[in-house]
Amino acid sequence: MNTREQQLKAFDRLLTIMDELREQCPWDRKQTLESLRHLTIEETYELGDAILDQDLEEVKKELGDVLLHIVFYAKIGSEKKAFDIGDVANSICEKLITRHPHIYGDVEVADEEEVKRNWEKIKLKEGKKSVLEGVPRSLPALVKASRIQEKVSGVGFDWEEPQQVFEKVKEELDELQQEVNSENQDLMEAEFGDVLFSMINYARFLKVNPENALERTNKKFIKRFQYLESKAKESGKELKDMSLTEMDVFWEEAKTL
């Protein structure tokens, strides 16, 4: 591992390269906060993939890409005379100190749940009108639902036991079935959303990350389906020409891999 001095030297090297690219490279010189936004989102998802794959070498590379974007935004901010990378670093330092009074003050906490509750209370004292202000509007719906539930839980708006949440899941499933029977498409969508929201809430009580859980299932399905495709090709058949019974043979084989 690098020493603190080596880490600072590496960061200084990155800042220097950013200065050079911004001055000399036509593409880098053209970028704006807005043009980088979608690229940053893409890089963040690539980092998420590497984390789920537990590929630490790839995590290192993707963290570098994300760090580049942070430095890039700060460079543009400095050109606008709005902020620079020092302001960015000091801002998060001050926030961390303020929101950790149990470390940098005289507040005592019993566990991580109390830390999270204090965090939300401090944010309200900082001037936020709602605990939900910190949930980005552009978050994917599943992640947004999870963050909403975490935040309201932080101020005490929550169920007491996992079984209560599971009962709510069953209640929402019954209501969905009623609307399916009525064939009202709009109400079916509304009730389906309620089912998903309650399932995400139940995942929180089980200490399961719903986004990670769903992505694991996605990866599992992709692996099994691609096995099915390869076995069908080996047998000289097209999937569209195979019966479900024939496909199921390969699917069951894939489940054993």
Side-chain angles (χ1 to χ4, degrees):
M1 292 292 100
N2 292 292
T3 64
R4 177 61 62 88
E5 182 181 358
Q6 290 170 323
Q7 291 170 4
L8 292 173
K9 185 177 180 180
F11 191 68
D12 180 68
R13 181 187 180 200
L14 176 59
L15 294 178
T16 300
I17 290 173
M18 184 74 256
D19 289 343
E20 294 169 347
L21 293 179
R22 189 66 173 168
E23 181 179 341
Q24 301 173 35
C25 175
W27 185 89
D28 289 282
R29 194 165 53 232
K30 184 179 179 181
Q31 300 313 305
T32 65
L33 297 176
E34 292 76 16
S35 70
L36 289 172
R37 177 181 177 273
H38 75 282
L39 297 175
T40 307
I41 293 171
E42 181 180 326
E43 295 295 355
T44 304
Y45 275 109
E46 290 179 358
L47 171 60
D49 285 343
I51 292 171
L52 285 180
D53 292 339
Q54 297 184 0
D55 186 338
L56 294 183
E57 181 63 25
E58 197 63 24
V59 168
K60 179 190 72 175
K61 294 177 182 178
E62 297 301 341
L63 281 172
D65 290 341
V66 172
L67 179 58
L68 169 61
H69 280 241
I70 293 170
V71 168
F72 211 147
Y73 286 123
K75 177 63 178 176
I76 295 173
S78 69
E79 294 168 354
K80 293 177 178 291
K81 309 298 183 185
F83 59 86
D84 62 21
I85 194 66
D87 297 315
V88 172
N90 283 324
S91 176
I92 188 60
C93 287
E94 293 302 322
K95 180 188 290 187
L96 289 172
I97 291 171
T98 300
R99 295 187 183 178
H100 289 79
H102 53 290
I103 303 296
Y104 302 103
D106 55 6
V107 173
E108 295 185 5
V109 294
D111 51 33
E112 64 172 304
E113 292 303 319
E114 193 170 349
V115 170
K116 290 194 288 187
R117 286 193 295 271
N118 285 343
W119 183 280
E120 296 301 336
K121 291 175 183 176
I122 292 169
K123 287 169 69 174
L124 289 176
K125 289 180 181 178
E126 291 173 348
K128 293 188 180 296
K129 296 178 181 179
S130 169
V131 296
L132 298 179
E133 282 186 20
V135 180
R137 296 189 304 275
S138 56
L139 272 181
L142 191 151
V143 180
K144 184 187 290 186
S146 184
R147 292 296 292 139
I148 288 171
Q149 292 164 5
E150 288 175 1
K151 285 185 173 294
V152 298
S153 173
V155 292
F157 188 79
D158 207 355
W159 300 93
E160 295 178 350
E161 301 291 339
Q163 186 59 34
Q164 295 173 308
V165 191
F166 187 60
E167 292 300 323
K168 184 63 176 175
V169 171
K170 292 192 289 185
E171 177 187 320
E172 297 295 355
L173 281 169
D174 288 340
E175 291 178 5
L176 171 61
Q177 188 59 56
Q178 291 173 21
E179 300 308 335
V180 170
N181 294 339
S182 72
E183 299 183 350
N184 185 313
Q185 192 66 35
D186 185 59
L187 291 178
M188 272 193 278
E189 181 177 297
E191 292 300 339
F192 194 88
D194 289 347
V195 170
L196 289 178
F197 195 84
S198 60
M199 280 296 297
I200 292 167
N201 208 16
Y202 188 44
R204 182 169 58 86
F205 272 79
L206 298 179
K207 300 189 184 306
V208 169
N209 183 300
E211 173 72 16
N212 291 351
L214 182 57
E215 184 58 15
R216 284 180 64 179
T217 296
N218 288 340
K219 289 179 178 292
K220 180 170 60 179
F221 184 91
I222 289 170
K223 180 180 178 181
R224 292 176 181 176
F225 190 78
Q226 290 178 338
Y227 177 85
L228 167 60
E229 288 178 314
S230 66
K231 297 302 288 187
K233 188 175 181 180
E234 286 177 15
S235 62
K237 296 182 179 179
E238 295 285 340
L239 287 181
K240 61 183 177 62
D241 299 323
M242 296 174 64
S243 68
L244 283 175
T245 300
E246 290 176 306
M247 287 190 281
D248 192 54
V249 172
F250 295 135
W251 185 262
E252 290 301 318
E253 287 180 9
K255 289 166 66 174
T256 65
L257 298 178

